[in-house]
Amino acid sequence: MICAFVIGDLRYFGGVSFLPRTAAGRLEQQLDRRPVVFLMGARQVGKSTLAQAVAKRRGFESVLTLDDAAQRRFATEDPIGFLARFTGPVLIDEVQRAPDLLLEIKRRVDEDRAPGQYLLTGSANVFTAPKVQDALTGRMGTVELWPLSQAEIESRSTSVIDDLFAGTPPVIAGAPIGRSAFTARVLRGGYPEVLGFSADARADFFEHYIDGTLRQDLAALADIRRLDEVPALVRHLAAQSSGLLSVEAAANRLGLAADTVRTYATLLETLFVLRLIPAWRPGLHARTVHAPKVSFVDSGLLAALLGADEARITNDDQLTGPLLENFVASEIGRLLSVASVRARQYHYRAGRTEIDVVLESAAGDLVAIEAKASATVSPRDARALVALRDQKPQAFRAGIVLHAGPETVQFSDRIWALPFSALWS
C-alpha cells in the first residue's frame, strides 16, 4: 500500500488509500505566521511527501534535499552561497545534515521577517544541537509529524483529547471485544510504508530501519565511537519499554559507561525512535518517582524488536501489558500533537499509585489514562484515577480506563471506562 495525503482539497497519492495528515493544517498555519517552519519527525513517516505537497500548493520556488551529497556539500561548505541562489520560498529537506545552514537562515530572516520563506524538514530535532539551539528562537515555528495515528489510518478526525479536557468523553457502543480490538493495530503501528505489509515484510523493514537507517543517521548527527553497540541498546530498551529508564542496568548489561548510555538514549530520542516520558510531580514535596519512562514512538517497531506476533500478544500477558501501554502512550502523543488543548504528557508513580498517562494543560488541568487488556473492567481498575481526582479535585477533568470491552461506562464522578476505539473512532 502506498499512502495518500490530503491537504485541504489537494490530494497526493500513489496507491489505493487516502490518508489525511492532521498535521497539515498546523503546518499551513505556521507558514502563514513564521518566516521559517521546521517539520520534524522520524525517517519514513511521510515528512517529504507532506512538505512537498504543501510547497507545491503554495508555489515554492525550489525544493531540494540534503540527502543529496552535492547539495549537502554545498550547504556545508558555503551556506551563504547556497541560500543566495533563492529569491522566493524554498523547501530544504533533511536540514539536520547541514546544521550550520540554520545560522545563515537566521541572518537572512533577521533582515526580512516575511512569513513562509523557508520550509525545513528533518529526521532529527536540530534544537538539541548546541550551536543551533538558540539560532532560530522566536523566528521558527515547529510542527511534529509522527507515524500515522490510528485515527488517520481510519481517515477519522478525532478530538478525544479535547473531549477529555472538556470532561465529555465519547459515548461508544458496540466496539470490538477482546484482544482482537487492538492486536492487529499494535503489530502494524503507523509507519505508512508498512501498512499493507505481511508480518515477514514488516520484520524486514524494521530490521533495516534499526540496523541501517538508524546507524546512518546517528553517524551524521554525532561522533559516536561505538556505533555498533546502538542496535543492542535499542533492543535492550525495547525490553524495558513502558518501564522506567535505568541507565545503570543498561550500562551493566551492555558493558558501556553510564554516560554513554545516557548520551545514546538522548540521541535516539532526538531521532524520534523513542520518547523518554517524564514523571509528573504534583508538588515540590511529593514522594514520586522522578525517572522517565521508556516509550517507543511506534508500536510496530517495538513489536518487531520484541519478536511479538499475534499468538504471543494473545497468550503472553507479560509481553502484552507493556506493549499495549506503549501503544496507548504513542497514540496519545500523536493525538496530543494536533489537539486544540496544549498539554504535556507524563507518567505518574508514587508508592502503590501508578498511572500510565497523565496529561497536564498549560492552564494546569489534568487528564489521567490507564490501559487494561481485559474486556471486563470494574471501578477497582480506576482506583489510581480516583486517588488523583481526590488529590487534585479542582484541576482534574477526566480519568479513563481504556479497555477491550464494547462500550463506555461511567464509574463515578469524572471517571469512565472507554473502549480502545475511542482513540480512533
Side-chain angles (χ1 to χ4, degrees):
M1 176 186 293
I2 301 175
C3 299
F5 301 89
V6 182
I7 303 165
D9 59 355
L10 186 63
R11 292 171 182 252
Y12 285 83
F13 59 94
V16 297
S17 296
F18 296 86
L19 300 178
R21 296 312 306 252
T22 49
R26 183 162 289 179
L27 184 59
E28 294 267 21
Q29 185 183 65
Q30 288 292 319
L31 284 165
D32 289 337
R33 295 175 177 176
R34 301 292 185 94
V36 185
V37 178
F38 181 37
L39 177 65
M40 58 183 178
R43 289 272 187 181
Q44 307 290 336
V45 298
K47 296 186 306 299
S48 298
T49 303
L50 178 58
Q52 289 170 20
V54 170
K56 182 175 180 179
R57 181 181 178 88
R58 298 177 74 95
F60 271 42
E61 173 190 335
S62 301
V63 175
L64 51 94
T65 177
L66 297 186
D67 276 340
D68 179 89
Q71 295 283 5
R72 184 169 65 251
R73 188 180 308 111
F74 189 0
T76 301
E77 296 176 357
D78 184 12
I80 295 175
F82 182 86
L83 292 176
R85 300 175 295 164
F86 309 115
T87 58
V90 58
L91 163 61
I92 304 174
D93 204 15
E94 299 299 342
V95 73
Q96 84 280 351
R97 305 294 300 272
D100 285 345
L101 198 60
L102 295 174
L103 302 177
E104 176 59 15
I105 290 175
K106 171 188 179 298
R107 187 190 67 79
R108 294 173 71 89
V109 300
D110 280 347
E111 296 175 355
D112 178 7
R113 290 296 188 98
Q117 297 180 57
Y118 297 96
L119 174 55
L120 313 175
T121 80
S123 300
N125 186 347
V126 294
F127 284 120
T128 62
K131 67 168 62 178
V132 299
Q133 194 167 36
D134 299 321
L136 290 166
T137 301
R139 304 166 182 85
M140 181 161 72
T142 61
V143 177
E144 294 175 337
L145 190 68
W146 302 101
L148 289 157
S149 69
Q150 299 304 305
E152 289 175 311
I153 292 171
E154 297 294 335
S155 297
R156 302 282 177 84
S157 176
T158 180
S159 59
V160 67
I161 298 296
D162 296 322
D163 291 342
L164 294 176
F165 274 103
T168 57
V171 177
I172 297 173
I177 300 174
R179 297 194 179 188
S180 62
F182 58 81
T183 299
R185 295 177 185 274
V186 169
L187 292 171
R188 180 181 62 191
Y191 282 92
E193 188 173 337
V194 306
L195 294 189
F197 282 9
S198 66
D200 287 343
R202 279 200 309 267
D204 289 342
F205 173 88
F206 286 123
E207 182 176 1
H208 174 75
Y209 193 91
I210 292 299
D211 293 335
T213 304
L214 178 58
R215 286 199 286 185
Q216 176 185 342
D217 283 346
L218 281 171
L221 187 65
D223 180 17
I224 298 180
R225 296 178 181 178
R226 299 183 65 177
L227 197 59
D228 289 343
E229 300 288 351
V230 174
L233 175 61
V234 171
R235 289 178 170 83
H236 174 82
L237 293 175
Q240 306 302 315
S241 63
S242 301
L244 301 180
L245 174 64
S246 175
V247 172
E248 292 75 15
N252 291 336
R253 177 69 178 270
L254 301 173
L256 298 172
D259 285 346
T260 299
V261 170
R262 195 174 289 108
T263 298
Y264 287 5
T266 300
L267 287 170
L268 290 168
E269 188 171 31
T270 298
L271 288 171
F272 304 99
V273 173
L274 55 81
R275 297 168 64 211
L276 301 178
I277 299 178
W280 182 69
R281 301 174 66 179
L284 294 177
H285 303 292
R287 294 183 177 180
T288 56
V289 170
H290 298 165
K293 261 191 178 182
V294 177
S295 181
F296 276 71
V297 163
D298 187 74
S299 65
L301 172 61
L302 176 59
L305 289 167
L306 295 175
D309 56 20
E310 187 172 345
R312 290 193 66 193
I313 292 180
T314 300
N315 299 310
D316 187 346
D317 288 340
Q318 290 186 334
L319 173 71
T320 303
L323 193 55
L324 178 61
E325 182 182 334
N326 195 109
F327 170 74
V328 168
S330 64
E331 286 297 311
I332 293 295
R334 290 155 167 65
L335 297 175
L336 197 61
S337 70
V338 294
S340 297
V341 174
R342 301 291 183 172
R344 294 183 180 276
Q345 183 174 350
Y346 303 92
H347 76 91
Y348 178 58
R349 183 180 296 183
R352 292 188 173 183
T353 301
E354 183 175 354
I355 299 175
D356 295 338
V357 176
V358 174
L359 305 179
E360 183 172 27
S361 74
D365 294 335
L366 298 173
V367 166
I369 301 168
E370 279 279 277
K372 302 291 183 185
S374 174
T376 303
V377 291
S378 73
R380 289 178 56 85
D381 296 305
R383 286 177 296 182
L385 308 180
V386 171
L388 180 59
R389 180 199 64 191
D390 295 345
Q391 182 183 3
K392 296 286 183 179
Q394 300 303 315
F396 192 89
R397 293 291 170 264
I400 64 170
V401 180
L402 289 169
H403 64 105
E407 61 188 2
T408 299
V409 178
Q410 183 164 10
F411 288 146
S412 61
D413 176 38
R414 292 171 285 172
I415 305 292
W416 293 267
L418 295 181
F420 285 109
S421 62
L423 297 175
W424 57 82
S425 61

